[in-house]
Amino acid sequence: MHLHFLDPYQPRNSPVHALDARLKFVLTLAFILTVSLTPAGAWPVYILLLALVVSAEVLSGLGIGYVQKRALLALPFVLAALPVIFTLYGRPLFSLPIGGWTLTASVEGLERFVSVALKSWLSMQAAVVLAAATQFPELLQAMRAVGIPRLLVAMFGLMWRYLFVLVDEALRLMRARAARSAWGTEAGKRSGGSVAWRARVTGGMAGSLFLRAFERSDRIYVAMLARGYDGEVRALPLPPLRAAGWFLLAAGLTLFGLLLIFAYAFWG
Amino acid sequence: MLYSPAPMHIPDGFLSTMVAVILWVITIGVVGYALRRVGKDLGERQVPLMGVLAAAIFAGQMLNFTVAGGTSGHLMGAAIATILLGPWAAVIVLTTVVGVQALIFQDGGLLALGANIFNMGIIGVAVSYFVYRSVQKLSGGKTWGLYVGGFAAAWLSIVVAALAVALQLALSGTSPANIAVPAMGGIHMLIGIGEGLITVGALAFVHAARRDLLHIGEAAPTGGKAVWVGGLVIALLLAVLSPLASAHPDGLEWVAEQKGFLDTAQQPLYNLIPDYVFPGISNEALATIVAGIVGTLIVFGVALGLAFWRRRKTA
Amino acid sequence: MHHSIEIEHLSFSYPDGHPALRDVSLRIAPGEKVALVGPNGAGKSTLILHLNGILRGEGRVTVCGLPVEEKNLGRVRAAVGLVFQNPDDQLFSPTVFDDVAFGPLYQGLPPAEVERRVTSALAAVKMEAYARRVSHHLSVGEKKRIAIATVLSMEPEVLVLDEPTAGLDPRARRGLIHLLRDLPMTMLVSSHDLAMVRELLPRMVIMDEGRIVADGPTAELMKDEQLLEAHGLEKM
């Protein structure tokens, strides 16, 4: 059994997919930084930023629906920002009497909440497009290009390579557990054993997973040695970025810069 | 969906730029140091080991179990990684896990990644190391030290990391401290029990099958004392700071407001481009409408361009 | 002329004291294709790991004229290509290209030469189109072929394979046998797949309990029912 669905990469024949991963990586990070720096209440700038990321979604052929579905993953976290509507002082908006207490929402509080939610939503979409339109190995090259240490990049690569192998193992363990759990999943019924016992069983499964990881890493190490590995992480040099690439990078960064100037000029 | 995000991973948008950047700087410093340490202290065998163990921790996070109602416990893995590999390698492993979660699964933001690595990879590991080593010393190397130390390290690392998340949110002005701290702390005191039990179960399995593996992390590494002290300080600081912040939320709010992070930079910019330079769109409502139209045009233009490009490719 | 593989009085015990090889001697001439058979735990894998110095026991191991010792390890590992049983352990890089390039890269070859080696190794296993693919999306048979390419790219004189047909479906197994038949280099293949041995490898070495118990033409040894049965092998 293979967990292809774990890999977010969606192969398409699109200009976004064809774009150099280094550019996508840097532009995505710059976009998220721009979103983060945009002040609360600069709604027009948020609209333009949304237009940019939605354009990327359209261009990439991923479809807006697909990206939105994945982008909503961060939604539950918005709860953390909800109280700020009531706790931030400012012009009162409305009051909610709860028992003996009165909660007063402020305009500033609502503005902050909406900006946090918007920022999160916009950033998430950009990250989803990056992950879905870029093969992870290319992303690893981009990470090398921006100066992330080779050892760490090698670690990311190894983790990604064995993620799917080990998740398969974990799923087999879970299936074996489920096959022997008489009342496992039925709603409304108490499952077998105490929480502590269930946790210990799960812990044992995790332990065996770690043990297999240890043993596998020994075999990988031997396979690396057999091909000359000497402890140093090596890689082929990256091809230079073409002129068009540099131009696109400069254009993107300039655009983000202009949007920020625009935002601070009016809403700073 | 098998993969459920844990509330420990902060998405983008929830941290102010300043908080995110400061945590990035700290994280880069510590992870950079850990990389140098790992390169020096550990054999070349460690490279595949750390990579595969990172994958195992990720896979281990799928082995959730029902606690009560709809909630389930699953693994963060800082404690087990620290106990199995020692603190420096554990920092690298957790950095890898959290980084891949953000890059591939959007579990936690990219700008917030520095903070997430800091919370889980640095605070989690330092606190785990401090607790585990202390209990080990007290137990004199007996087996109960392994289990008690493992449980306590796992539980406390989760709780302290959660408090750190709450404080960062409060400091960013995203969530008031008097709500975020008790909420995050309270939930994770429960989640931490799950983490502790799984960690103990995993340790028991490894102890029974391959006791020798438990010694890798036991040998005191160079800089181990500093990590121990770091863990102690972080645990104490957050244990004291969080209730304090929770009791005086306005204090943190005030910091978030006053330090305002960008206020200083905003002033000159604001003066540079006064409203009348753009007389046509000085009105905010009008600006919003214009932006809406321009934005729609961008998307429409891109869609049209794409359709044209596709047709030319297939033609 | 030197032998491809020359082992004299090799003995090895694992750290726990368990003896895995007892006084093993073996010579393989260039171009020979030899099968290594015997029950699990006979010492086949341990012997294989001695051929490029990952394990080192007492005795003498010479590969392509090079004694297997610390100062020669780099050249020895380039001369002997080891293909392990589980391709998931052998393919540890993110992409097929990275994996096939790993050996040449550590040989210190210039980038252009590395690329040439990768292209020709993938061509040799008929997987040219797979360079940019990601290993975990491949079938077991495809992974096996790529695993062989990862050592072919080092242009070894000797190819050593551990259980190459294990876990393959009949069609993939057939394809792999044809591939191995067409490769010109000296070959030592450890396997339980006696049908493949008979078809592909004219010489057979039987190991049991750390010793070589028989060494001769495959066709003859296969007829010796008593010998086969004594070492847990089935006559075909």
Side-chain angles (χ1 to χ4, degrees), chain A residues 210, chain B residues 53 57 61 75-87 89-91 93-94 119-133 146-159 161 192 194-200 202-203 214 217-218:
Chain A
F210 291 140
Chain B
L53 209 67
I57 285 179
Q61 292 177 339
L75 206 62
M76 173 171 92
I80 190 90
T82 309
I83 295 167
L84 289 177
L85 296 176
V91 167
V93 167
L94 265 291
N119 295 333
M120 287 175 266
I122 297 174
I123 292 188
V125 167
V127 170
S128 295
Y129 184 73
F130 154 68
V131 173
Y132 182 69
R133 284 298 281 184
L146 176 69
Y147 298 135
V148 173
F151 182 87
W155 185 80
L156 199 67
S157 65
I158 291 279
V159 174
E195 175 93 6
L197 290 173
I198 296 184
T199 303
V200 169
L203 286 173
L214 290 171
E218 251 166 40

Side-chain angles (χ1 to χ4, degrees), chain A residues 36 58 80 112 198 202 218 268, chain B residues 17 45 63 66 173 175 257 266:
Chain A
S36 179
V58 174
R112 168 127 7 127
R198 286 204 297 275
T202 311
D218 272 345
Chain B
T17 314
R45 191 175 276 269
L63 302 171
T66 331
S175 197
E257 290 289 296
Q266 283 162 216

Side-chain angles (χ1 to χ4, degrees), chain A residues 80 83, chain B residues 162-163 165-167 169-170 174-187 246:
Chain B
L163 290 178
V165 171
L167 284 183
L169 291 178
T174 308
S175 197
N178 57 341
I179 293 169
V181 169
M184 282 296 281
I187 292 169
S246 179

